Amino acid sequence: MDSEARGNRGEDGTREPRPMDRRRFLGAAVAGAVGAAVAAGCDSDGGGPRPGQTAPAPAGGPPQAEERNRRGDPDWRIGSLGPDEAIEGYADRVSVLPGEEFGLHVSTTAPGFRVSAYRMGWYGGAQARRVWVSDRVAGQRQPPPRTVPATRSVRADWQRTLAVRTDGWPEGVYLLRLEGEHGYQRYVPMVVRSQSGAGATVIMHAVATWQAYNTWGGGDLYEGKDGAYATRSLEVTFDRPYDKSGAGKFIVYERALVALAERLGIPLAYTTGVDVHASPSVLRGAAALVSLGHDEYWTPEQRRNVTQARDAGTNLAFLGANACFRRIRLEPSGTGEARTVVCWKTAFDDDPYLAAHPDMPTNDFRQAPAPDPESSLVGMLYEGFPVDAPYVVHSPGHWLFEGTGVRQGDSFAHLVGVEYDRVTPSAPTPRPIEVLAHSPLVCQGRASHANSAYYVAPSGAGVFASGTMRWVEALMAGTRDNGRNHDMDARTGEFVTRTTENLLRAFAAGPAGDTRPGPVDNVAPLYSTPLATG
């Protein structure tokens, strides 16, 4: 495919009228001022936080049974977005440690608004718990976006509206819902990250990819205001709201995995790709790291830290496609470090930074002048977009498929899409590697296959790659959650859910190569080109 083709934007999933119950969600046993107002928190009763208060929560450490067993709040969804300018905002941090402060920068046509912070999880099927709600904040319109001519980067650079302290907030991923007095709402995402992931499964949120596809203000890394690739932004900033609901990428490609992992009760830790770029500390001693449904944009530092974690025994799960494809640089902005995502792509030669750093182009990892194909880590290469094809099981006896009842050749309609990966024998590839699914497809007129694959690193770490961007979405297949889900059915939801449960439980127990059967290299019968070793 054309490597600059636009990725899937998915659905915002904001109009679900009611929560899903345990049997129907995830396919699990499916039975059929702008001033500087500081918002401080304090304890509240079991009826949920009152304005200006924080609901009580366990202190410190990964979220365990006490938090997961708390009563959820099913009204977390957005009722009405309204016009684009009705209410929108952004945070000046992509993540904070528990107890730290971040700022919200909000613009609204409403005379006032409140903010409700929802921690996302399972919560008995409610999928979220309201941890905090602000006092009333006076509304104000902030200036229109500005564009930096040299890079066509679109910025908001609004004044801070309120400061939010996260005292008492458990680690996890949050949606802050901005609630205008005119009835319109939008999200601002926030990760309350874990200091340590030792012994835990670390969920890594793909915030750089969220930003790469963010068209707020008229430009992202794919197109400019006129829709043309030539006028695209060469860098994008976190100092602006996200488009549409404010959390579309999270809702479509990440939320269902968070809910499933919390339902399983395994030890969890939370981080972002930006934080893994900055420091590998959260990965030290981690049982597993999960890359979610669309995790395309990585820095070399992030990739190096993840690779070192694998080589130290941390299992890796790539539950999407197109992971670790774009090589980016992170730069500071007026609000802090690592607030700007730089990716010049095909124009990387024009990047002034390259003159002094010739080994740091911001193009695809596999491309010159510093080629380093993602397959050496993921096990597969990203190949194409767009596609919609059945997922075809190739190795039904693999331990990942235990309890699914699948046979060789069983297929699941629409599960492969909208982007896909495959084992590519000519690329650096860890071996032995086992192809678990071998799904025929046609992408832009060319016949090929999508694969799921599994290998074990010398450290004993297991590495699974689903090879389809719809894997996390499929956890909601057969429910009314998240819209149409590409017409994937309940049978698909059950299959993906059971497989993912097997994966998460096994990976949570430590290096999978020590406790589960290793891969049987079956590439040669499928692809005639000799397999390159990684």
Side-chain angles (χ1 to χ4, degrees):
M1 67 164 272
D2 175 1
S3 66
E4 301 307 328
R6 189 167 200 82
N8 181 31
R9 290 196 174 276
E11 300 175 57
D12 285 343
T14 57
R15 298 187 180 276
E16 172 61 34
R18 61 179 181 272
M20 309 308 301
D21 60 45
R22 177 182 290 269
R23 295 171 60 196
R24 295 183 60 227
F25 182 68
L26 299 175
V30 174
V34 173
V38 176
C42 58
D43 286 348
S44 71
D45 59 25
R50 295 186 295 272
Q53 295 186 330
T54 300
Q64 301 296 335
E66 184 178 353
E67 171 62 26
R68 293 168 179 171
N69 291 334
R70 294 178 65 87
R71 185 177 66 194
D73 294 287
D75 65 344
W76 59 270
R77 293 171 175 82
I78 286 176
S80 179
L81 289 172
D84 289 345
E85 70 279 3
I87 189 164
E88 51 192 354
Y90 62 92
D92 56 21
R93 304 274 297 275
V94 298
S95 72
V96 293
L97 292 170
E100 289 185 336
E101 178 183 297
F102 64 89
L104 282 176
H105 303 241
V106 180
S107 178
T108 181
T109 58
F113 68 95
R114 296 184 188 274
V115 185
S116 292
Y118 291 92
R119 183 184 181 275
M120 308 307 292
W122 176 242
Y123 296 108
Q127 304 176 40
R129 181 175 78 88
R130 192 170 73 165
V131 171
W132 172 84
V133 58
S134 74
D135 292 321
R136 181 186 185 274
V137 181
Q140 181 174 328
R141 289 292 302 274
Q142 301 253 28
R146 67 181 184 89
T147 301
V148 178
T151 58
R152 300 184 291 274
S153 178
V154 180
R155 308 182 59 86
D157 291 332
W158 291 340
Q159 295 179 16
R160 178 185 274 201
T161 307
L162 72 158
V164 180
R165 290 200 58 84
T166 59
D167 299 306
W169 294 26
E171 298 165 2
V173 60
Y174 287 75
L175 293 181
L176 282 73
R177 192 174 65 187
L178 309 178
E179 302 162 351
E181 290 176 347
H182 47 24
Y184 300 131
Q185 302 170 334
R186 266 183 182 76
Y187 294 128
V188 176
M190 173 56 59
V191 176
V192 178
R193 70 181 186 273
S194 305
Q195 184 84 55
S196 170
T201 294
V202 181
I203 297 177
M204 181 173 65
H205 297 282
V207 294
T209 300
W210 300 354
Q211 196 55 250
Y213 286 86
N214 180 15
T215 61
W216 185 90
D220 64 4
L221 292 180
Y222 292 84
E223 62 186 36
K225 288 184 178 180
D226 60 359
Y229 176 72
T231 60
R232 72 195 182 282
S233 298
L234 302 174
E235 59 184 44
V236 289
T237 177
F238 290 104
D239 295 327
R240 60 174 181 158
Y242 289 105
D243 59 10
K244 301 180 181 177
S245 72
K249 288 290 183 187
F250 167 76
I251 288 172
V252 173
Y253 294 115
E254 304 190 2
R255 174 174 63 94
L257 187 282
V258 171
L260 174 59
E262 293 231 340
R263 180 172 65 82
L264 292 179
I266 60 175
L268 295 175
Y270 290 86
T271 192
T272 74
V274 169
D275 294 300
V276 172
H277 154 89
S279 171
S281 59
V282 73
L283 303 182
R284 293 191 184 112
L289 173 69
V290 179
S291 165
L292 296 160
H294 195 178
D295 194 4
E296 179 178 351
Y297 288 77
W298 290 41
T299 67
E301 295 88 346
Q302 178 187 357
R303 179 171 173 174
R304 181 175 62 247
N305 291 338
V306 170
T307 301
Q308 290 174 349
R310 177 202 65 180
D311 295 345
T314 296
N315 301 304
L316 305 181
F318 294 94
L319 301 186
N322 192 216
C324 193
F325 180 65
R326 308 282 191 190
R327 179 168 36 209
I328 62 172
R329 182 171 74 250
L330 294 174
E331 293 185 345
S333 75
T335 56
E337 298 296 319
R339 295 289 294 174
T340 303
V341 179
V342 181
C343 192
W344 287 57
K345 297 186 179 178
T346 51
F348 71 90
D349 273 335
D350 299 328
D351 183 359
Y353 185 86
L354 199 62
H357 306 85
D359 60 344
M360 248 309 294
T362 54
N363 59 354
D364 301 346
F365 270 106
R366 65 184 67 174
Q367 293 180 341
D372 187 11
E374 69 272 18
S375 55
S376 65
L377 176 65
V378 179
M380 301 196 291
L381 277 180
Y382 168 63
E383 188 172 271
F385 160 92
V387 70
D388 180 281
Y391 180 95
V392 181
V393 174
H394 184 70
S395 297
H398 195 276
W399 61 264
L400 277 164
F401 296 146
E402 289 177 0
T404 65
V406 294
R407 300 178 179 180
Q408 187 171 28
D410 282 356
S411 65
F412 298 87
H414 309 295
L415 180 52
V416 175
V418 60
E419 304 187 56
Y420 71 95
D421 297 345
R422 55 160 279 190
V423 173
T424 304
S426 59
T429 304
R431 64 179 304 176
I433 187 167
E434 185 168 358
V435 173
L436 308 183
H438 191 57
S439 308
L441 55 84
V442 176
C443 184
Q444 297 193 4
R446 184 167 64 90
S448 188
H449 288 80
N451 298 135
S452 291
Y454 177 75
Y455 75 88
V456 174
S459 65
V463 180
F464 169 75
S466 72
T468 170
M469 199 176 282
R470 291 179 182 165
W471 190 268
V472 174
E473 286 184 86
L475 295 171
M476 296 176 281
T479 76
R480 293 179 56 193
D481 212 359
N482 200 50
R484 65 182 184 275
N485 292 310
H486 309 283
D487 296 320
M488 292 184 286
D489 60 14
R491 173 175 166 269
T492 299
E494 293 174 24
F495 164 73
V496 174
T497 297
R498 179 55 188 265
T499 301
T500 308
E501 289 174 346
N502 292 341
L503 174 75
L504 293 176
R505 287 186 172 121
F507 278 16
D514 296 343
T515 60
R516 295 294 191 276
V520 176
D521 199 315
N522 59 356
V523 174
L526 303 176
Y527 300 111
S528 58
T529 305
L531 184 67
T533 58

